[in-house]
Amino acid sequence: MIYFVPIAFLAGLFAYSVFRALISGFYVIRPDQRAVLTTFGRAQRLSEDTVASDDDPHLTADEKLRYRYPVVRVIGPGGPYFKWPWQDVYKVSVSTQAVDLVWDPTKSQSTIEAVTKDNLTTGVNGQLRFRVSESNLYPYLFGVRSPLEHVMGYFVSILRERVATFVDPKGQSLLADAHLGDEPSETSVELSEGVSINDLRKNLPTLNAYMEQQCASTPGRYGVELDAALITTIDPPPEVDRALSAINSTRNQVAADLSTARADSEQQITMSKRAVEIAANNAQAEVAPLRELATTLQAIKGEGGSTSLSVYLRNMRIPLLARARRVVRNS
């Protein structure tokens, strides 16, 4: 009886361990999931070489030395698989997910504030689509405690830096072309008064493309692949928005006045050219008979001499004398 109690306890403990191992030892991986198995906290590695980031063209030489993660064995969809009690399974979804730019587990916010090149505070909002990198699961699972939070912080930092230094590339090229000429054009006048928020709103595709390019290194850093950056809203505070509306209205009015003045000046120039042409035609019409008369007199003198020319002039003078009331003759 004395030995029966320990034996029964050990038997019960053994039965519980076997039952627990059988019940909790099997697991299934869904089609959109991948898993990494750890034994006593160490992930199963395919090799001891930690060269997963060496071939990443988006990392610098310094970053390749800093972000050296081992290549771990990834368990694909299927099952049921079996694990021992001293093993743990880390499952992660590899499907594309979307998260708002304002997502931050440490605080609640409705927009991302950023300061533009001309010191205007504006709010930025949108979405970020991402997926976990299946080929580099180690940094996502074990590299940082909250990889998505790190990626969002990294993205927001780049976004704020870009907003603070953004210059309209099209406007800069047009300004450079305008400086080549001596006369200022309408474009140069308009762009010289540009506001950064307006430039950002007009170049949202360029801004999104820049963010995707700058975040191409996140798979090597955090094991998260950026699928797309969708910055959809840039809203300044109401008072700034009203000021921008006033600036835009004034700019449009100035542009309309410039167009009207240019049209009036072109019309005046065209009318002046037409007046010059009309005056030239009238002068030519008055000179043409005189030239014809001179040609006729020269022909008469050339064929008949001075006598024929005098007779001709006398004959031409007779009708004039017949219509004249008084003749004054100077010697």
Side-chain angles (χ1 to χ4, degrees):
M1 186 65 182
I2 297 175
Y3 298 101
F4 178 73
V5 174
I7 293 175
F9 175 75
L10 294 176
L13 181 61
F14 178 76
Y16 173 76
S17 300
V18 172
F19 178 77
R20 180 66 183 272
L22 291 177
I23 294 299
S24 61
F26 292 97
Y27 61 95
V28 176
I29 307 299
R30 298 201 311 261
D32 63 330
Q33 289 182 330
R34 302 294 182 270
V36 174
L37 186 66
T38 61
T39 303
F40 295 112
R42 179 182 173 85
Q44 295 179 345
R45 306 187 180 191
L46 295 180
S47 66
E48 294 299 328
D49 297 332
T50 55
V51 293
S53 61
D54 285 357
D55 298 332
D56 193 339
H58 304 292
L59 295 178
T60 63
D62 179 66
E63 291 173 338
K64 289 180 179 178
L65 295 176
R66 188 189 312 166
Y67 301 106
R68 294 177 64 86
Y69 300 113
V71 181
V72 297
R73 175 175 172 266
V74 178
I75 302 174
Y81 300 103
F82 179 78
K83 71 177 183 62
W84 295 105
W86 53 85
Q87 292 181 321
D88 292 318
V89 177
Y90 293 86
K91 300 179 183 178
V92 62
S93 175
V94 294
S95 60
T96 301
Q97 305 174 55
V99 61
D100 292 336
L101 289 182
V102 297
W103 178 83
D104 190 339
T106 62
K107 59 183 178 181
S108 177
Q109 55 184 357
S110 59
T111 185
I112 298 292
E113 291 188 350
V115 180
T116 62
K117 183 169 62 67
D118 40 10
N119 293 325
L120 295 177
T121 301
T122 183
V124 183
N125 212 332
Q127 277 193 336
L128 187 67
R129 292 194 304 187
F130 70 96
R131 60 176 175 269
V132 178
S133 175
E134 184 177 348
S135 59
N136 197 20
L137 281 180
Y138 189 91
Y140 183 81
L141 293 174
F142 312 110
V144 292
R145 176 170 297 180
S146 180
L148 183 57
E149 185 178 353
H150 276 71
V151 171
M152 292 302 296
Y154 179 72
F155 183 88
V156 171
S157 298
I158 295 178
L159 176 63
R160 284 176 171 157
E161 185 272 338
R162 185 56 174 168
V163 169
T165 59
F166 185 84
V167 177
D168 187 357
K170 183 179 179 182
Q172 286 298 303
S173 61
L174 291 176
L175 280 176
D177 296 338
H179 289 165
L180 296 178
D182 296 329
E183 298 180 357
S185 64
E186 179 183 358
T187 306
S188 63
V189 174
E190 180 181 0
L191 293 176
S192 63
E193 299 175 353
V195 181
S196 296
I197 293 179
N198 291 336
D199 294 340
L200 287 168
R201 284 172 169 172
K202 290 188 298 183
N203 293 275
L204 279 181
T206 304
L207 185 61
N208 287 326
Y210 176 83
M211 297 305 300
E212 293 177 9
Q213 179 185 1
Q214 293 299 312
C215 292
S217 61
T218 54
R221 287 170 174 260
Y222 310 112
V224 177
E225 298 178 4
L226 182 65
D227 186 65
L230 303 174
I231 300 171
T232 56
T233 306
I234 296 180
D235 283 334
E239 59 274 14
V240 177
D241 199 14
R242 286 194 294 270
L244 289 176
S245 299
I247 293 174
N248 291 334
S249 299
T250 305
R251 181 184 304 170
N252 294 334
Q253 184 62 40
V254 170
D257 293 343
L258 287 175
S259 299
T260 303
R262 182 174 289 108
D264 291 342
S265 62
E266 291 178 353
Q267 184 177 3
Q268 293 295 331
I269 292 173
T270 303
M271 292 175 62
S272 300
K273 290 181 179 178
R274 294 292 181 268
V276 171
E277 292 178 359
I278 292 172
N281 292 334
N282 291 337
Q284 188 174 5
E286 292 179 358
V287 170
L290 299 177
R291 289 180 176 176
E292 185 66 24
L293 178 60
T295 303
T296 302
L297 296 176
Q298 289 176 356
I300 294 174
K301 185 177 180 180
E303 294 179 359
S306 300
T307 305
S308 299
L309 179 60
S310 299
V311 173
Y312 176 78
L313 293 177
R314 187 195 60 187
N315 294 335
M316 293 297 296
R317 195 178 295 126
I318 291 175
L320 293 177
L321 294 175
R323 289 182 293 178
R325 295 181 179 179
R326 186 176 58 181
V327 176
V328 178
R329 183 174 182 180
N330 295 327
S331 59

